[in-house]
């Protein structure tokens, strides 16, 4: 069983940056597909970025060139977000163990979720 805990959300002005972190409080995720999803207000949860066990990454078109997903060991996953836009506002969730390992992927495919961290971008 993997338990995921996100941190790093907050409020920022458009054009700013934030870095989200996701730690495994129990277990490791080295063999899993990992990713970040977000849920804008009043909308469905959507995949933003994924990374597989070998380090291959995939991004939603809306964040390509602005967001970078990475992991530094079996317990920490990151999402570096730059050039943030108001439309990036939403609750961001860390996710583990899903297929296909790439964007797009539906939330129903995900086995493990974090509790979410809020990102608010003001214009």
């Amino acid at each position: 069983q993997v338990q995921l805990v996100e941190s790093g959300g907050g409020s920022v002005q458009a054009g700013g940056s934030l870095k989200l972190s996701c730690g495994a409080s129990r277990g490791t995720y080295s063999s899993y597909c990992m990713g970040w999803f977000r849920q804008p207000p009043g909308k469905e949860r959507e995949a933003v970025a994924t990374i597989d066990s070998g380090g291959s990454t995939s991004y939603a078109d809306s964040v390509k060139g602005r967001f970078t997903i990475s992991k530094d060991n079996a317990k920490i996953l990151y999402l570096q977000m730059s050039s943030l836009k108001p439309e990036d506002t939403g609750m961001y969730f860390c996710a583990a163990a899903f297929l296909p390992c790439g964007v797009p992927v539906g939330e129903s495919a995900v086995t493990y979720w974090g509790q979410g961290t809020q990102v608010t971008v003001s214009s």
Side-chain angles (χ1 to χ4, degrees):
Q1 183 84 13
V2 175
Q3 291 186 338
L4 304 173
V5 180
E6 302 97 335
S7 62
S11 297
V12 65
Q13 290 192 325
S17 299
L18 283 173
K19 187 173 185 177
L20 307 183
S21 300
C22 173
S25 62
R26 186 166 65 187
T28 63
Y29 57 70
S30 58
S31 63
Y32 294 144
C33 178
M34 299 289 295
W36 291 94
F37 286 62
R38 69 182 177 192
Q39 187 165 18
K43 296 185 179 180
E44 294 184 352
R45 200 173 298 190
E46 61 183 2
V48 172
T50 66
I51 186 167
D52 69 14
S53 58
S56 294
T57 59
S58 177
Y59 296 93
D61 287 343
S62 59
V63 306
K64 281 180 181 176
R66 300 188 298 119
F67 290 12
T68 302
I69 188 171
S70 63
K71 56 183 180 179
D72 61 1
N73 54 40
K75 285 186 175 284
I76 305 294
L77 180 74
Y78 300 102
L79 185 68
Q80 175 67 54
M81 304 184 293
S82 303
S83 301
L84 283 161
K85 304 175 181 180
E87 51 264 44
D88 294 319
T89 293
M91 186 71 77
Y92 283 69
F93 298 88
C94 179
F98 52 88
L99 291 173
C101 191
V103 179
V105 57
E107 61 176 302
S108 61
V110 175
T111 303
Y112 303 111
W113 289 103
Q115 84 287 351
T117 185
Q118 179 67 36
V119 171
T120 302
V121 184
S122 59
S123 57

